[in-house]
Amino acid sequence: MSTAKQTAAAPVADDEETVLADIAGMLRKMLDEYGLDDIEIAADSRFMEDLELESIDLVTLAGILQTRYGRHVNFAEFVAGLELDEIIDLTVGRLVDYVVGCLKAAGGS
C-alpha cells in the first residue's frame, strides 16, 4: 500500500526557470512527433499560433503535466477558467506561472 501517497515520480522544483525547462522539454517531445523539431520554445511562445498545437494536443499535454507534477497541477481546470480568446493566445509562460503557483501552494519547495 505504499503507492497511495505517491504523486510524482521525482522531486519537483517549483522555480520558474526549472518549470519552463520541464515544460519546454515536454513540448519538444510532442513537436518532434510531428516533425516540428525546429520550433523554438520560449515563455512567450503561443501554443496554437507559434507551436502549431491543436486542442487535442492540449489534452495530451494535460496528461503529461499530471504525470510529471501529480494532482496538484490540473491543466483542464486551468483552461476551464479561461475565456476562448485567452485559450487561443495561451503562452508557455502563462502555463509556467500556473504550474509554479500550484506547486508552491502544494508545498513543493
Side-chain angles (χ1 to χ4, degrees), residues 19-74:
V19 173
L20 176 59
D22 282 351
I23 291 175
M26 295 171 197
L27 292 168
R28 206 163 271 111
K29 280 185 180 180
M30 290 175 63
L31 294 171
D32 282 350
E33 291 179 16
Y34 299 131
L36 300 171
D37 55 356
D38 60 340
I39 295 178
E40 184 177 331
I41 300 170
D44 62 348
S45 298
R46 291 170 291 180
F47 286 98
M48 298 196 175
E49 188 168 326
D50 300 325
L51 303 180
E52 301 178 22
L53 297 179
E54 297 181 11
S55 57
I56 191 68
D57 299 313
L58 298 182
V59 173
T60 301
L61 179 60
I64 295 168
L65 289 167
Q66 186 159 17
T67 298
R68 174 67 175 119
Y69 298 112
R71 292 179 282 192
H72 305 296
V73 176
N74 187 331

Side-chain angles (χ1 to χ4, degrees), residues 12-23 65 69 72-73 92-109:
V12 176
D14 64 3
D15 64 277
E16 289 182 19
E17 186 176 319
T18 302
V19 173
L20 176 59
D22 282 351
I23 291 175
L65 289 167
Y69 298 112
H72 305 296
V73 176
V92 173
R94 186 156 181 199
L95 176 59
V96 167
D97 291 342
Y98 169 73
V99 170
V100 168
C102 290
L103 295 175
K104 287 186 178 186
S109 303

